[in-house]
């Protein structure tokens, strides 16, 4: 297994891709089988599941047959639902949509909360306009509100909608607010790893296990990128932006492999 695909991340990716089709828990034996297919051994799986339980994302439960298993918590389902809108159906951005500003102040006695708040805003795709003032396209408002409420960070933050009025041109300002070169590099790395996979499956018909493995790894790589990328309108991006091509490659992999991989998920152990 590549170091790019941590066990905990792969578990979340698995639940996001295939674990929401029923309300019941996924049996432990099934998790072991499904994660083994992408190189995760049983001890690593159990350790990662324990961490996800402590974070409130997985809950211990029993299947109808009485087997031990794990189900998504309500918070985890909200998190994955929010993620779907970025990963699979991100709306085309427009300058006219404006911006959402997050202005926060956290007492020095709660500096750990300040660190968590900064980390979560960055993870949502916000850039830094000034100390304590973070900015993102307005399309991220609903997800930002859900996230801050879920983490109990809402009391520290005021959210505003607005437009950029100057004095610097907006395209120059966004280059200060975000490290777009770093985001472009992430897209290029995704293309380097997964475009050859697409080319292979354009020439071959995947079996269920191979489709599952390659889709899960592609999704695990891809799902981080719409969070690193704030989703800026095209006219604010540098020339030859690789994000569009990367989205096209992922979309084609999704179309070719997702349903074929589901057959492997549904196989009896």
């Amino acid at each position: 297994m590549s170091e790019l695909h941590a066990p905990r991340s792969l578990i979340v990716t698995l639940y996001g891709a295939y674990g929401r089709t029923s309300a019941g828990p996924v049996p432990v034996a099934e998790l072991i089988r499904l994660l083994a297919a992408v190189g995760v051994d049983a001890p690593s799986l159990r350790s990662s599941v324990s961490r996800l339980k402590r974070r409130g994302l997985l809950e211990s439960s029993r299947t109808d047959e009485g087997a031990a298993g794990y189900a998504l918590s309500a918070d985890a389902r909200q998190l994955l639902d929010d993620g779907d809108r970025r990963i699979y159906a991100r709306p085309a951005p427009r300058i006219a949509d404006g911006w959402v500003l997050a202005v926060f102040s956290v007492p020095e006695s709660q500096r750990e909360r300040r660190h968590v708040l900064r980390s979560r805003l960055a993870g949502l795709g916000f850039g830094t306009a000034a100390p304590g003032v973070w900015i993102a396209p307005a399309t991220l408002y609903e997800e930002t509100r859900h996230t801050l409420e879920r983490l109990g960070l809402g009391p520290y933050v005021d959210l505003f909608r607005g437009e950029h009025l100057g004095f610097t041109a907006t395209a120059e300002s966004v280059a200060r607010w975000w490290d777009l070169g770093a985001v472009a590099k992430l897209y290029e790395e995704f293309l380097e790893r997964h475009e050859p996979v697409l080319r292979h499956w354009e020439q071959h018909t995947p079996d269920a296990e191979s489709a599952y493995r390659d889709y899960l790894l592609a999704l695990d790589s891809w799902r981080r990128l719409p969070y690193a990328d704030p989703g800026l309108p095209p006219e604010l991006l540098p020339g030859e932006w690789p994000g569009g091509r990367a989205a096209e490659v992922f979309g084609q992999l999704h179309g070719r492999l997702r349903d074929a991989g589901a057959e492997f998920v549904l196989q009896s152990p």
Side-chain angles (χ1 to χ4, degrees), residues 14-24 26 72 77 258 262 265-266:
L14 170 62
Y15 272 91
Y18 298 113
R20 287 178 284 169
T21 55
S22 68
V26 180
L72 290 167
R77 287 184 176 274
R258 195 272 174 193
V265 175
L266 295 173

Side-chain angles (χ1 to χ4, degrees), residues 57-135:
L57 298 178
L58 291 181
E59 299 173 341
S60 299
S61 188
R62 293 267 174 188
T63 68
D64 292 341
E65 294 76 25
Y70 296 97
L72 290 167
S73 68
D75 281 348
R77 287 184 176 274
Q78 179 68 68
L79 190 67
L80 292 171
D81 289 346
D82 284 340
D84 285 352
R85 286 187 282 274
R86 292 200 190 207
I87 294 167
Y88 302 111
R90 195 168 196 174
R94 304 177 305 163
I95 290 180
D97 293 334
W99 305 91
V100 58
L101 293 176
V103 180
F104 65 85
S105 177
V106 181
E108 182 63 24
S109 60
Q110 300 182 47
R111 68 180 68 179
E112 183 176 337
R113 304 287 280 176
R114 184 188 306 150
H115 171 75
V116 172
L117 180 53
R118 288 171 174 164
S119 176
R120 297 317 301 160
L121 288 174
L124 287 164
F126 277 71
T128 308
V133 181
W134 292 58
I135 188 167

Side-chain angles (χ1 to χ4, degrees), residues 249-260:
V249 167
F250 173 73
Q252 291 188 43
L253 286 169
H254 175 78
R256 288 177 179 273
L257 301 180
R258 195 272 174 193
D259 289 346

Side-chain angles (χ1 to χ4, degrees), residues 154-206:
Y156 304 103
V157 184
D158 285 304
L159 297 176
F160 302 88
R161 287 183 185 268
E163 58 182 311
H164 183 238
L165 299 176
F167 295 91
T168 306
T170 304
E172 294 180 29
S173 295
V174 299
R176 296 196 317 270
W177 300 338
W178 288 278
D179 185 347
L180 295 178
V183 177
K185 184 177 179 181
L186 293 175
Y187 281 129
E188 290 162 357
E189 290 172 348
F190 176 87
L191 288 168
E192 183 178 350
R193 289 194 299 272
H194 297 288
E195 195 163 23
V197 177
L198 174 61
R199 295 292 166 256
H200 173 79
W201 293 124
E202 286 176 337
Q203 304 298 322
H204 302 84
T205 300

